[in-house]
Amino acid sequence: MRTQVAIIGAGPAGLLLGHILRRAGIDFVILEQKSREYVLGRIRAGVLEQGSVDILRDLDLDADLRERGLTHHGIYLQYESRRHHVDFLELVGRTVTIYGQQALVHHLLAEHDRFGSDVRFEVDAVLPHAIDSNDPYVTAIHAGEELRIHADFIVGADGYHGVCRPAIPGVSAYERSYPYAWLGILADVAPSTDDLIYALHPDGFAMHSMRSVEVSRLYLQVDPDESIDAWPDDRIWDALQERLGVPGWTLQQGPITEKSITPMRSFVASTLEHGRLFLAGDAGHIVPPTGAKGLNSAIGDVALLGRALIAQQGGDESQLRVYSGSALARQWKVQQFSQWMTELLHVDRRLAPSEAAFRYRSQVGRLEYTTASRHAEAALAEQYAGLPF
């Protein structure tokens, strides 16, 4: 078969790119290795920047977001049992919206179903070919049938472990692993806060987020090699109470319905394109979750790539030629913010006691400066609420 764009990966990047192309009348097919149930069941980040919300609105893909999303005007920074509110709306005139990636994927896929898009799940042995030529193609196996899909362009939205990035000759990576991991839980209890809480504590970082008015999402810093079996529910709640507690405030507890441990790392590919193959989302970069940038980075990529592919169909290839450079320039700004937030709020347990104590007091000093300076607050707010796409 032939299509204009073959998209490998049915996560938020691939599904959203499909909608951008559909509105422009560009044919596409989306191929996903995992099952539909698996894709819909993945629980991921849930903070959308203002720009991400605007893109979904402009594409008429925000119906569910408007109904279920929770708009937040800022975040709380907490340290030394003190809690300070950073008001994004007052500082930079922008907000963020809590809306789980799982809900976004569900809505994007439902809209593809409504429009009859060609989205195929449980596709095996997917491989891009001839990406240096004018006739690239993808081979795969679906429902026992061998596929050969010729396309004008191939987009790799297939994540860090996907097949598209390794298909780029000479591609390299900039990587960093952190000595921290997040133990994340979902709990059936109403949030105990109106805005997200980011807390530095001598025992480690903690965060209070939410998924809805009835479901709370909370995180604890743990060591990367820890087992979830070592964290029964009572121990989790005790640690959250200790790290998030401030005088006059109560953390409400409820049944924990999901818990997992996620290591933290940074990764950026040296390029997001080669010939007729382009990368988007986690296929090209990963950030630690502290700055809430992973999902938004994927949306930023496809906003740029979608515009470039549409312009190419009109005879202008200039945007495609600069896609990788433009996306990576934005990504490195996102990486530095995510790294700054991570190092600001996490305790390094590898250090000797005297060095650990110095580092902790330095972190408190940075937080005190940030919360006392309108300029520092505005810089945080501008980056957290989202850089332009």
Side-chain angles (χ1 to χ4, degrees), residues 364-381:
V364 171
R366 276 182 279 168
L367 283 162
E368 288 180 334
Y369 168 73
T370 299
T371 55
S373 167
R374 185 173 179 86
H375 296 292
E377 281 191 325
L380 188 159

Side-chain angles (χ1 to χ4, degrees), residues 50 72-74 85-96 374 381 385:
Q50 180 72 60
H72 287 258
H73 292 177
H85 190 247
V86 182
D87 193 322
F88 299 166
L89 191 61
E90 178 188 355
L91 290 162
V92 297
R94 297 167 73 79
T95 62
V96 296
R374 185 173 179 86

